[in-house]
Amino acid sequence: MLAFAALALAAGIALMAIDPADNGFGTMTLWIAPPLLLAGFFLPIPAINGSGNFARSMRKDWQGQRLKHIAGLLVFATSLLTYTSTLEPTASLWDCSEFIASAYKLQVPHTPGTPLSLLVGRLFTMFSFGDITNVAWTVNLMSAFFSALTAGIAYYLIYHLCGTVGAPEGKHTYLLRVFSAGGGSLCLAFSDTFWFSAVEAETYGPACFFLVLILWLIITGKHLAEPLKTRRLVLIFYLSGLAYCIHPMCLLALAVLPFTWYTHNRPLSVKHVVLTLSAGLAIILIINRFVAVGIFELAFSFDRFFVNQVNMPFYSGALILSLVLLIISRAIIVRVRSAKAYVCAAVFLLLGFTPYLLLFIRSNHNPPIDEANPENLAMIKAYMNREGYPSSPLLYGPYFDARIVAVNIKKQIYFKAKDGYQVAGSLPKYQYDARQTFLPRLYSNDPVHIEAYREWTGLNPHEKPTFANNLQFLFTYQLGHMYLRYLMWNFAGRESDVQNSSWLKPWERSAASHFEKARNQYWMIPFVIGLVGAVAQYRKDLKGFITIATYFLITGLILALYLNSPPVEPRERDYIYVGSYIGFCIWIGLGLYSLGAAASKHKGGLFAAALMAVWVPAWMSFQNYNDHDRSGRTFQVDNAKNILRSCAPGAILFTGGDNDTFPLWYVQEVEGFRTDVRIM
């Protein structure tokens, strides 16, 4: 089933990408490609329980627990209705305009490309039925749809976990699980960051869907017996490859796979925890570095050798590499039967990266938006490796006052010439003096950054930073200001929408002034309920707690540590850590269940618990609605059109950053407005 899915996906991609009707939708694309793509997405689902038993088991589960599924559908419908009513009618600021224009004509956006999002986005643009003014709304609807699906899957995940921290199943506990799962999942749906991304054309809606889906498959798959468990493993890795084609953060759910499955029927020990969690981190590192990027680097190295040294045609090396990998995989499966499941998982992980063929094919068509031009192996290697972006040190590196003592060659940069691959230049590797440190945080030598470093750490002009200053910046800015503040925004309260605004304390006034917006007061109630849920899970299901805590930390604090963000950002970055907020909402659901279980022992307690599960997300929705309602917001596109109107016929317009450029691309590429102006 998975093999058919992968073949259908590849065929659908080829048909959509090669279709010459760049400004419309040809007959072949409209009638053949979408069903193939949908088959590639949904054919793997029967592999969860086995193709023969899947429909039967779903029907039996519906008949036995109808209320549970009705509540899950209500969570999805409520979320989707809320997002649709607050959906932005046109393109938003930042990357949204670029994404809509790229999805509409299948063009090439900035790295790492998100090709699966582009394919799904193009499917959604077909619902505009030729009305170019509705294209942006339909792509925004894609985010709303997948965000609502995420809330629905979160409901089922919370419902499942409630069974591990509560009493044996009974009428009261069944109802309590339904209300608690509904409350926790709706808290996610109405949380500040999640709602913000759900009403604009971004990758975070589909990315959260895959993130929670993979987490749900991992947690519920530990109970399966063979051969269903092996099928589930292969499915998880196939979906992980597809998910990377939406956003690399989806891989972070794999961190809990070894621990959750290995320790399921084994006694818990420190050794098991350390080894399995280390294995989970290793899986993420291997896929992120040696598969997602390494496979393109390896393909280019093979091709460069066979083209430059053996005088074979272009792409012959990539074909030979594919055959070598196929032969090795087949040999391992035949000779080492115990490794069959892992080899199949690796193969289907690679098949999940098939959507990247889209960028390769479309770049060769030279569309107007063709960022980094990944039209051959040399360029797509650089595209995947993000060689156009600066890097930041992670474990060891310089202070901002370190001096460069030598410049070496980090790697050669190649381009495709007529007779082979030629050297275009090189990436530099700097060597610094002794002013270096472990875990460098104060590393940037940008004068604006240095000034900000000194403000955050209290360093005087010309005073040299120390390791203590390094740690001070780490805890106060990178972990405190750039993560914990965002967490409290979502579950305690938000001061305003002014950049760098703080979270709102319970004793601070809740009413907004005339000049304030997005002043949302939750009195820390969701935050406290989440802490109650974490404590309850720790006490009653330690293995489950380690699973959710690992997921929560790796998508939150550990991710903040890894990103090593600079001291000046052009906008708030709370959306980066949305996976962490999903983990906390799981604890909110468990907290509602624990509080409800305690209250239900008293008369009227079950009613009070149900009321709490409804009131908490309802209050969050009430507080957040006015600042998340974008139903009449058209400023950014109006501004872009006004800029283009001001240009003379045939003008060349030089622009700056994303918000200066991307809306202009949208109105030209989608709405066909003032295409005579050249945007530089």
Side-chain angles (χ1 to χ4, degrees):
M1 191 67 72
L2 281 172
F4 283 119
L7 289 173
L9 182 63
I13 291 167
L15 287 176
M16 289 195 76
I18 298 174
D19 174 37
D22 288 337
N23 294 314
F25 305 102
T27 303
M28 181 178 290
T29 296
L30 185 60
W31 294 108
I32 302 178
L36 287 173
L37 289 174
L38 294 174
F41 301 152
F42 295 112
L43 273 179
I45 292 177
I48 296 174
N49 290 328
S51 57
N53 299 323
F54 180 70
R56 191 184 312 118
S57 64
M58 288 294 293
R59 184 168 59 251
K60 182 179 178 181
D61 193 49
W62 171 264
Q63 292 171 350
Q65 302 187 74
R66 188 168 298 176
L67 178 61
K68 178 184 81 171
H69 297 300
I70 291 175
L73 289 174
L74 282 175
V75 168
F76 168 76
T78 301
S79 304
L80 185 60
L81 180 63
T82 302
Y83 299 149
T84 305
S85 66
T86 58
L87 203 66
E88 189 145 7
T90 187
S92 309
L93 293 173
W94 300 105
D95 298 348
C96 304
S97 304
E98 177 206 34
F99 178 76
I100 295 169
S102 298
Y104 182 54
K105 294 182 180 177
L106 289 184
Q107 304 186 81
V108 183
H110 67 278
T111 60
T114 65
L116 186 55
S117 297
L118 297 177
L119 285 167
V120 178
R122 183 168 186 182
L123 292 179
F124 270 82
T125 65
M126 294 179 181
F127 292 109
S128 66
F129 300 107
D131 185 353
I132 57 176
T133 61
N134 282 331
V135 167
W137 189 89
T138 59
V139 183
N140 291 342
L141 182 64
M142 178 194 73
S143 287
F145 176 73
F146 279 101
S147 297
L149 278 180
T150 305
I153 297 174
Y155 165 85
Y156 282 100
L157 181 56
I158 296 170
Y159 182 91
H160 172 80
L161 291 173
C162 284
T164 66
V165 299
E169 190 70 53
K171 182 179 180 181
H172 291 305
T173 53
Y174 176 61
L175 291 173
L176 190 58
R177 285 175 70 176
V178 169
F179 276 108
S180 301
S185 56
L186 287 176
C187 281
L188 170 65
F190 299 139
S191 60
D192 180 53
T193 300
F194 192 80
W195 193 345
F196 188 90
S197 297
V199 294
E200 64 180 17
E202 258 288 4
T203 60
Y204 289 97
C208 287
F209 165 73
F210 273 94
L211 190 65
V212 178
L213 177 61
I214 292 170
L215 184 63
W216 180 80
L217 289 171
I218 291 171
I219 291 175
T220 59
K222 66 182 179 181
H223 305 285
L224 298 176
E226 295 295 346
L228 296 183
K229 198 165 188 176
T230 297
R231 292 179 181 176
R232 178 69 65 94
L233 179 70
V234 175
L235 175 64
I236 287 170
F237 276 90
Y238 176 63
L239 292 176
S240 297
L242 289 175
Y244 191 95
C245 300
I246 288 179
H247 200 287
M249 80 171 186
C250 299
L251 296 179
L252 297 179
L254 294 176
V256 303
L257 175 61
F259 170 81
T260 305
W261 284 22
Y262 182 81
T263 63
H264 172 52
N265 289 320
R266 292 180 174 87
L268 198 61
S269 67
V270 175
K271 178 182 177 182
H272 288 161
V273 173
V274 172
L275 289 179
T276 53
L277 293 182
S278 298
L281 293 174
I283 289 173
I284 295 173
L285 175 64
I286 290 170
I287 297 176
N288 190 53
R289 184 64 189 91
F290 299 105
V291 177
V293 177
I295 194 67
F296 291 97
E297 292 185 335
L298 188 61
F300 171 69
S301 298
F302 264 66
D303 208 53
R304 181 162 57 89
F305 173 78
F306 283 99
V307 172
N308 287 11
Q309 306 300 325
V310 191
N311 295 321
M312 292 181 68
F314 285 107
Y315 308 115
S316 57
L319 179 61
I320 291 171
L321 174 63
S322 301
L323 294 175
V324 168
L325 292 176
L326 187 63
I327 292 170
I328 293 174
S329 301
R330 176 64 179 170
I332 294 175
I333 290 174
V334 171
R335 298 183 182 182
V336 189
R337 301 294 296 179
S338 60
K340 179 180 178 180
Y342 304 108
V343 174
C344 288
V347 169
F348 278 94
L349 172 71
L350 289 174
L351 289 175
F353 282 85
T354 305
Y356 271 105
L357 292 173
L358 169 75
L359 300 181
F360 185 81
I361 295 170
R362 295 302 296 166
S363 183
N364 273 279
H365 282 72
N366 294 316
I369 300 176
D370 190 12
E371 298 188 55
N373 194 32
E375 63 183 16
N376 55 61
L377 285 174
M379 295 302 294
I380 202 168
K381 173 191 75 75
Y383 186 89
M384 293 301 299
N385 210 21
R386 298 172 176 83
E387 291 176 1
Y389 289 89
S391 60
S392 57
L394 183 60
L395 296 178
Y396 189 78
Y399 287 110
F400 62 74
D401 62 339
R403 294 180 179 274
I404 298 173
V405 296
V407 181
N408 300 320
I409 294 177
K410 183 178 181 180
K411 63 170 63 175
Q412 299 280 10
I413 303 299
Y414 292 86
F415 71 97
K416 181 185 174 186
K418 290 184 179 180
D419 54 348
Y421 293 104
Q422 304 296 328
V423 176
S426 62
L427 287 179
K429 182 179 180 180
Y430 300 107
Q431 287 188 358
Y432 296 89
D433 59 17
R435 293 287 297 157
Q436 298 189 68
T437 181
F438 168 72
L439 207 65
R441 305 289 108 178
L442 307 172
Y443 62 89
S444 174
N445 58 11
D446 185 311
V448 176
H449 290 174
I450 293 174
E451 182 180 354
Y453 286 143
R454 295 189 183 279
E455 290 178 0
W456 278 100
T457 58
L459 284 169
N460 296 321
H462 309 297
E463 184 179 359
K464 291 183 177 294
T466 64
F467 188 68
N469 300 129
N470 202 49
L471 293 181
Q472 180 186 4
F473 182 75
L474 166 64
F475 287 106
T476 58
Y477 178 77
Q478 292 185 331
L479 300 185
H481 188 73
M482 294 301 291
Y483 172 70
L484 292 176
R485 177 173 63 102
Y486 295 147
L487 182 70
M488 303 305 280
W489 269 12
N490 281 275
F491 305 112
R494 180 172 177 174
E495 194 175 70
S496 74
D497 64 351
V498 176
Q499 188 160 344
N500 296 316
S501 61
S502 182
W503 62 280
L504 199 60
K505 285 71 175 176
W507 52 86
E508 295 180 307
R509 61 178 175 83
S510 58
S513 70
H514 180 70
F515 300 101
E516 289 175 330
K517 196 174 182 182
R519 187 176 183 88
N520 303 322
Q521 177 63 279
Y522 316 134
W523 299 296
M524 291 186 70
I525 294 174
F527 183 74
V528 172
I529 295 175
L531 293 181
V532 171
V535 172
Q537 191 181 34
Y538 173 80
R539 292 177 59 188
K540 298 182 179 181
D541 179 22
L542 183 56
K543 292 179 182 179
F545 171 77
I546 294 174
T547 297
I548 300 302
T550 300
Y551 168 80
F552 173 72
L553 290 173
I554 201 168
T555 53
L557 284 173
I558 296 175
L559 181 60
L561 191 70
Y562 172 79
L563 292 175
N564 198 3
S565 58
V568 178
E569 293 281 8
R571 56 172 166 158
E572 300 287 9
R573 300 292 189 183
D574 52 306
Y575 58 90
I576 295 174
Y577 309 108
V578 66
S580 179
Y581 315 144
I582 294 172
F584 197 84
C585 286
I586 293 173
W587 278 333
I588 290 178
L590 297 181
L592 290 169
Y593 182 80
S594 299
L595 294 172
S600 62
K601 298 176 182 179
H602 306 283
K603 187 177 181 180
L606 184 61
F607 175 77
L611 186 63
M612 175 66 73
V614 172
W615 179 82
V616 174
W619 180 254
M620 292 178 66
S621 174
F622 172 74
Q623 285 288 295
N624 290 342
Y625 193 92
N626 65 331
D627 43 288
H628 289 79
D629 182 10
R630 304 198 214 171
S631 56
R633 183 175 174 180
T634 61
F635 159 77
Q636 56 283 357
V637 173
D638 294 339
N639 182 62
K641 289 182 177 179
N642 287 338
I643 291 173
L644 291 175
R645 282 193 188 98
S646 70
C647 297
I652 299 175
L653 179 62
F654 290 85
T655 60
D658 297 353
N659 285 335
D660 293 336
T661 308
F662 293 162
L664 302 178
W665 285 359
Y666 162 77
V667 295
Q668 286 189 325
E669 291 298 304
V670 177
E671 298 192 9
F673 185 83
R674 286 301 303 270
T675 55
D676 61 298
V677 179
R678 178 64 58 88
I679 309 298
M680 300 295 289

